[in-house]
Amino acid sequence: MNAPARPDRTPRLEDFPYRLTDNVRFADLDPNQHVNNAVYATYFETGRVTLMKDRSFGLMPDGLAWIMVRLDIHFRAELRWPGTIEMGLGVAKFGRTSVTFDQVVFSNGHCVASAQSVTVLIDEATRKPTPLTPEIIEKFQPWLRRGVPHSN
């Protein structure tokens, strides 16, 4: 008996509602002349921080902060300089105190890396996790990743 066909798991940029572009920098390269694996963490950070720190979205309530507790990266292809990248981000799920993001880096229409990151909401004074409020969850709704089921 043949195993069932696996659906293509290659991410599609259009499934990520928050997007931005950036340049590949010469300084991003390693001795193999491709973007060093550690640099991808910076690309993913740029996507998350640019969204979260934009005060117009209301994702940074007073007295609270977000900290990243997990980052899993899937390296899919080499990325070289010079060039530009398109980064995409979408909310995958909500936890009691956390938000999980799916993130991608595309170059020339191809996904070169994908990641899942988990951020936890903390009280700035106590540095302890604090539950997500219905208001915070509501503010994240425009950024839900398309094509995946979501859970609260």
Side-chain angles (χ1 to χ4, degrees), residues 13 22 28 33 39 43 50 67 89 91 103 106 114 122 147-148:
L13 188 58
D22 203 352
D28 295 346
Q33 298 303 304
V39 172
Y43 293 160
T50 303
I67 59 169
L89 177 145
V91 173
Q103 297 185 254
F106 274 70
S114 58
I122 64 167
V148 297

Side-chain angles (χ1 to χ4, degrees), residues 63-131:
L64 302 177
W66 294 98
I67 59 169
M68 188 178 68
V69 298
R70 184 176 186 115
L71 178 63
D72 293 318
I73 300 175
H74 180 172
F75 302 101
R76 297 172 175 272
E78 286 186 306
L79 179 58
R80 297 187 175 275
W81 174 86
T84 58
I85 55 173
E86 294 177 90
M87 295 175 282
L89 177 145
V91 173
K93 70 178 182 176
F94 300 100
R96 188 179 74 80
T97 63
S98 65
V99 176
T100 300
F101 297 104
D102 286 340
Q103 297 185 254
V104 290
V105 174
F106 274 70
S107 177
N108 296 318
H110 299 285
C111 185
V112 296
S114 58
Q116 191 165 79
S117 59
V118 180
T119 58
V120 171
L121 186 64
I122 64 167
D123 181 289
E124 285 184 317
T126 66
R127 307 304 287 174
K128 301 284 185 204
T130 188

